[in-house]
Amino acid sequence: MAKAENLIDTLALERIEVNLFRGLAPRDEGPRIFGGLVIAQALLAAYATVKDSICHSIHCYFLRPGDPQIPILFEVDRARDGRTFTSRRVIAIQHGEQIFNLAGSFQHPEEGVEHQDTMPDVPSPEELADESELRRKAMEHLPERMRAMVDRPRPIDLRPIDAMSFMAAKPAPPVQCVWMRAREPIGDDQVFNQAVLAYASDMSFLSTSMRPHGLSWQTPGMQTASIDHAMWFHRPCNFNDWHLYVQKSPSAQGARGMNFGEIYSRDGRLVASAAQEGLIRLRPNLDR
């Protein structure tokens, strides 16, 4: 099995003008770019125009599928530089069209009151199977042209608490917990760790709203896509270590599923919250 790509290289941006950056996606990723990659690169583009502040929230929209065969251009709008808060808007462009946009808010560090939810008591990641092992077991049920994409090693190590959510199409509650961390070392830089956390937050999320309906990525005619994605960064993180992604889906309707998530460090600190609405459309005649 090939080695997973190094996220330090994968997420790297080339600055081609003061507010203009170029990024790449792995060309063997599949027919479209993974949404988490575009989120992470857009956040890093925004960070390249910000000084002495840390991002506390991002709000993103996926407008068109990304093409992994060509570069992505990221254009940063320096919307506001304030004493405490700084705002940026980033537009991702391919083929002359917007494929994605991000609005981010950054804050100078300051002290304040604190409280947080309590992390659930779940099995440790060492007790669980690597999600890549589960995907390889499921490959025999996939069409030949999908197997290479599914077998591609991922740079995020995922350990689902309920492994059936990755393999079987049977009804289950609209909740799931997944341990996750970077598969290869990513260093201690807080900005980059935050970007990798954003990258990983798009993994497994949408499947939460598929669970009550007995649907999976392998369901014939299943069409899915992220529509929007929001994150709030509460505390510093080191994504070289395990984090627990606690997910729930309160609603699905109109071919859209709504999902909320909380991300905890292994020692129980709530480091981020996330929300995503995604397309869940069954097209029985869709050629997969």
Side-chain angles (χ1 to χ4, degrees):
M1 184 176 179
K3 186 178 180 180
E5 78 264 20
N6 185 317
L7 281 174
I8 295 175
D9 296 331
T10 297
L11 300 182
L13 297 176
E14 176 191 3
R15 192 170 210 148
I16 56 178
E17 241 296 342
V18 175
N19 298 317
L20 193 62
F21 303 83
R22 178 162 47 207
L24 298 172
R27 292 192 174 187
D28 60 349
E29 188 170 24
R32 62 187 184 186
I33 296 174
F34 170 54
L37 181 141
V38 186
I39 295 172
Q41 288 183 326
L43 177 57
L44 289 173
Y47 258 122
T49 70
V50 173
K51 292 183 179 181
D52 303 322
S53 293
I54 292 294
C55 184
H56 68 89
S57 69
I58 55 174
H59 297 265
C60 314
Y61 280 93
F62 297 93
L63 306 179
R64 294 177 175 88
D67 181 354
Q69 302 304 313
I70 66 170
I72 313 167
L73 292 181
F74 294 94
E75 184 177 2
V76 181
D77 175 13
R78 303 189 185 216
R80 179 178 186 268
D81 289 279
R83 291 183 179 180
T84 302
F85 292 96
T86 294
S87 299
R88 294 291 184 264
R89 184 172 179 84
V90 183
I91 297 172
I93 302 167
Q94 283 188 319
H95 300 294
E97 297 181 314
Q98 285 192 46
I99 65 167
F100 169 91
N101 61 55
L102 173 150
S105 182
F106 302 75
Q107 182 183 13
H108 288 285
E110 61 180 291
E111 297 297 323
V113 298
E114 289 199 20
H115 74 272
Q116 66 161 76
D117 282 349
T118 301
M119 183 174 75
D121 184 14
V122 299
S124 70
E126 290 80 12
E127 301 175 62
L128 304 169
D130 188 327
E131 185 258 356
S132 61
E133 299 174 12
L134 304 177
R135 286 190 288 115
R136 282 196 292 273
K137 291 180 181 178
M139 280 178 56
E140 61 186 62
H141 305 295
L142 298 178
E144 182 66 32
R145 63 192 180 94
M146 290 185 65
R147 292 183 185 178
M149 181 178 67
V150 171
D151 195 39
R152 176 177 173 269
R154 297 185 180 186
I156 303 299
D157 190 348
L158 298 177
R159 305 286 176 95
I161 304 299
D162 177 8
M164 297 301 292
S165 65
F166 284 79
M167 297 179 63
K170 67 176 185 179
V175 295
Q176 63 175 332
C177 293
V178 181
W179 287 104
M180 58 184 186
R181 67 176 177 182
R183 197 174 290 277
E184 299 292 334
I186 58 172
D188 298 325
D189 178 65
Q190 182 55 38
V191 169
F192 193 74
N193 273 267
Q194 200 176 72
V196 176
L197 181 67
Y199 176 102
S201 70
D202 194 33
M203 290 183 162
S204 81
F205 211 8
L206 182 53
S207 65
T208 312
S209 53
M210 297 160 60
R211 288 167 57 86
H213 312 285
L215 302 174
S216 74
W217 307 113
Q218 291 80 40
T219 300
M222 174 59 65
Q223 181 186 15
T224 63
S226 301
I227 298 172
D228 59 10
H229 192 96
M231 288 192 76
W232 296 264
F233 301 100
H234 309 307
R235 294 170 178 84
C237 72
N238 184 338
F239 207 65
N240 296 284
D241 299 328
W242 289 109
H243 285 67
L244 182 67
Y245 199 1
V246 181
Q247 307 165 34
K248 67 176 182 178
S249 174
S251 174
Q253 60 87 39
R256 304 188 313 276
M258 187 69 213
N259 306 278
F260 293 104
E262 293 182 330
I263 303 173
Y264 295 87
S265 61
R266 188 162 188 170
D267 61 4
R269 292 178 302 112
L270 179 62
V271 301
S273 300
Q276 183 183 93
E277 190 171 46
L279 175 70
I280 305 176
R281 179 182 288 153
L282 273 173
R283 299 173 60 187
N285 298 321
L286 182 66
D287 179 13
R288 299 195 66 194

mmCIF file of all heavy atoms in Angstrom, residues 134-144 147 150 167 218:
data_model
loop_
_atom_site.group_PDB
_atom_site.id
_atom_site.type_symbol
_atom_site.label_atom_id
_atom_site.label_comp_id
_atom_site.label_asym_id
_atom_site.label_seq_id
_atom_site.Cartn_x
_atom_site.Cartn_y
_atom_site.Cartn_z
ATOM 1 N N LEU A 134 -11.034 -0.889 7.416
ATOM 2 C CA LEU A 134 -12.451 -1.138 7.152
ATOM 3 C C LEU A 134 -12.790 -0.863 5.694
ATOM 4 O O LEU A 134 -13.578 -1.589 5.078
ATOM 5 C CB LEU A 134 -13.305 -0.256 8.066
ATOM 6 C CG LEU A 134 -13.040 -0.398 9.568
ATOM 7 C CD1 LEU A 134 -13.890 0.585 10.356
ATOM 8 C CD2 LEU A 134 -13.303 -1.826 10.024
ATOM 9 N N ARG A 135 -12.182 0.192 5.138
ATOM 10 C CA ARG A 135 -12.438 0.500 3.729
ATOM 11 C C ARG A 135 -11.924 -0.615 2.825
ATOM 12 O O ARG A 135 -12.569 -0.973 1.841
ATOM 13 C CB ARG A 135 -11.791 1.836 3.349
ATOM 14 C CG ARG A 135 -12.524 3.049 3.887
ATOM 15 C CD ARG A 135 -11.989 4.335 3.300
ATOM 16 N NE ARG A 135 -10.674 4.669 3.830
ATOM 17 C CZ ARG A 135 -9.563 4.716 3.110
ATOM 18 N NH1 ARG A 135 -9.583 4.420 1.822
ATOM 19 N NH2 ARG A 135 -8.402 5.045 3.668
ATOM 20 N N ARG A 136 -10.758 -1.159 3.143
ATOM 21 C CA ARG A 136 -10.210 -2.231 2.307
ATOM 22 C C ARG A 136 -11.106 -3.471 2.346
ATOM 23 O O ARG A 136 -11.275 -4.156 1.345
ATOM 24 C CB ARG A 136 -8.800 -2.573 2.759
ATOM 25 C CG ARG A 136 -7.756 -1.569 2.272
ATOM 26 C CD ARG A 136 -6.355 -2.123 2.405
ATOM 27 N NE ARG A 136 -5.948 -2.275 3.799
ATOM 28 C CZ ARG A 136 -5.390 -1.307 4.514
ATOM 29 N NH1 ARG A 136 -5.191 -0.121 3.980
ATOM 30 N NH2 ARG A 136 -5.032 -1.516 5.765
ATOM 31 N N LYS A 137 -11.699 -3.757 3.498
ATOM 32 C CA LYS A 137 -12.615 -4.890 3.595
ATOM 33 C C LYS A 137 -13.874 -4.670 2.758
ATOM 34 O O LYS A 137 -14.454 -5.623 2.240
ATOM 35 C CB LYS A 137 -13.000 -5.117 5.059
ATOM 36 C CG LYS A 137 -11.865 -5.639 5.930
ATOM 37 C CD LYS A 137 -12.332 -5.829 7.355
ATOM 38 C CE LYS A 137 -11.196 -6.330 8.247
ATOM 39 N NZ LYS A 137 -11.622 -6.473 9.661
ATOM 40 N N ALA A 138 -14.295 -3.402 2.649
ATOM 41 C CA ALA A 138 -15.513 -3.099 1.895
ATOM 42 C C ALA A 138 -15.260 -2.982 0.398
ATOM 43 O O ALA A 138 -16.209 -2.951 -0.386
ATOM 44 C CB ALA A 138 -16.120 -1.795 2.407
ATOM 45 N N MET A 139 -14.002 -2.939 -0.027
ATOM 46 C CA MET A 139 -13.682 -2.686 -1.430
ATOM 47 C C MET A 139 -14.239 -3.731 -2.385
ATOM 48 O O MET A 139 -14.576 -3.431 -3.518
ATOM 49 C CB MET A 139 -12.164 -2.596 -1.618
ATOM 50 C CG MET A 139 -11.575 -1.259 -1.238
ATOM 51 S SD MET A 139 -9.781 -1.261 -1.434
ATOM 52 C CE MET A 139 -9.603 -1.730 -3.152
ATOM 53 N N GLU A 140 -14.337 -4.980 -1.913
ATOM 54 C CA GLU A 140 -14.794 -6.040 -2.809
ATOM 55 C C GLU A 140 -16.219 -5.811 -3.277
ATOM 56 O O GLU A 140 -16.648 -6.388 -4.289
ATOM 57 C CB GLU A 140 -14.694 -7.387 -2.102
ATOM 58 C CG GLU A 140 -15.538 -7.493 -0.845
ATOM 59 C CD GLU A 140 -15.303 -8.787 -0.082
ATOM 60 O OE1 GLU A 140 -14.156 -9.008 0.365
ATOM 61 O OE2 GLU A 140 -16.265 -9.572 0.036
ATOM 62 N N HIS A 141 -16.962 -4.963 -2.571
ATOM 63 C CA HIS A 141 -18.346 -4.686 -2.941
ATOM 64 C C HIS A 141 -18.478 -3.444 -3.832
ATOM 65 O O HIS A 141 -19.584 -3.082 -4.213
ATOM 66 C CB HIS A 141 -19.194 -4.491 -1.680
ATOM 67 C CG HIS A 141 -19.126 -5.640 -0.723
ATOM 68 N ND1 HIS A 141 -19.594 -6.897 -1.018
ATOM 69 C CD2 HIS A 141 -18.593 -5.725 0.528
ATOM 70 C CE1 HIS A 141 -19.382 -7.709 0.008
ATOM 71 N NE2 HIS A 141 -18.771 -7.019 0.961
ATOM 72 N N LEU A 142 -17.361 -2.820 -4.172
ATOM 73 C CA LEU A 142 -17.395 -1.587 -4.955
ATOM 74 C C LEU A 142 -17.101 -1.862 -6.422
ATOM 75 O O LEU A 142 -16.402 -2.819 -6.760
ATOM 76 C CB LEU A 142 -16.366 -0.591 -4.417
ATOM 77 C CG LEU A 142 -16.554 -0.106 -2.988
ATOM 78 C CD1 LEU A 142 -15.426 0.843 -2.610
ATOM 79 C CD2 LEU A 142 -17.897 0.576 -2.802
ATOM 80 N N PRO A 143 -17.617 -0.979 -7.321
ATOM 81 C CA PRO A 143 -17.249 -1.093 -8.734
ATOM 82 C C PRO A 143 -15.742 -0.932 -8.907
ATOM 83 O O PRO A 143 -15.084 -0.214 -8.148
ATOM 84 C CB PRO A 143 -18.011 0.064 -9.382
ATOM 85 C CG PRO A 143 -19.137 0.366 -8.450
ATOM 86 C CD PRO A 143 -18.608 0.070 -7.073
ATOM 87 N N GLU A 144 -15.203 -1.568 -9.921
ATOM 88 C CA GLU A 144 -13.757 -1.576 -10.149
ATOM 89 C C GLU A 144 -13.188 -0.176 -10.221
ATOM 90 O O GLU A 144 -12.121 0.119 -9.671
ATOM 91 C CB GLU A 144 -13.447 -2.338 -11.442
ATOM 92 C CG GLU A 144 -11.966 -2.454 -11.752
ATOM 93 C CD GLU A 144 -11.216 -3.300 -10.745
ATOM 94 O OE1 GLU A 144 -11.814 -4.245 -10.204
ATOM 95 O OE2 GLU A 144 -10.020 -3.006 -10.494
ATOM 96 N N ARG A 147 -12.394 1.446 -6.814
ATOM 97 C CA ARG A 147 -11.523 0.801 -5.840
ATOM 98 C C ARG A 147 -10.211 1.556 -5.633
ATOM 99 O O ARG A 147 -9.727 1.673 -4.509
ATOM 100 C CB ARG A 147 -11.242 -0.644 -6.276
ATOM 101 C CG ARG A 147 -12.478 -1.521 -6.198
ATOM 102 C CD ARG A 147 -12.159 -2.955 -6.565
ATOM 103 N NE ARG A 147 -13.387 -3.759 -6.590
ATOM 104 C CZ ARG A 147 -13.437 -5.034 -6.906
ATOM 105 N NH1 ARG A 147 -12.306 -5.671 -7.231
ATOM 106 N NH2 ARG A 147 -14.569 -5.680 -6.906
ATOM 107 N N VAL A 150 -10.861 4.519 -3.374
ATOM 108 C CA VAL A 150 -11.143 4.126 -1.999
ATOM 109 C C VAL A 150 -9.886 3.622 -1.306
ATOM 110 O O VAL A 150 -9.676 3.851 -0.109
ATOM 111 C CB VAL A 150 -12.251 3.051 -1.975
ATOM 112 C CG1 VAL A 150 -12.413 2.471 -0.566
ATOM 113 C CG2 VAL A 150 -13.574 3.641 -2.439
ATOM 114 N N MET A 167 -19.314 0.683 6.980
ATOM 115 C CA MET A 167 -19.365 -0.494 6.138
ATOM 116 C C MET A 167 -20.768 -0.915 5.737
ATOM 117 O O MET A 167 -20.985 -1.307 4.598
ATOM 118 C CB MET A 167 -18.676 -1.659 6.850
ATOM 119 C CG MET A 167 -17.212 -1.443 7.127
ATOM 120 S SD MET A 167 -16.499 -2.849 7.995
ATOM 121 C CE MET A 167 -16.729 -4.142 6.785
ATOM 122 N N GLN A 218 -21.771 3.449 -0.247
ATOM 123 C CA GLN A 218 -21.869 2.390 -1.238
ATOM 124 C C GLN A 218 -23.290 2.131 -1.711
ATOM 125 O O GLN A 218 -23.516 1.294 -2.582
ATOM 126 C CB GLN A 218 -21.283 1.085 -0.673
ATOM 127 C CG GLN A 218 -19.776 1.116 -0.492
ATOM 128 C CD GLN A 218 -19.368 1.846 0.771
ATOM 129 O OE1 GLN A 218 -20.011 1.705 1.809
ATOM 130 N NE2 GLN A 218 -18.310 2.635 0.706
#
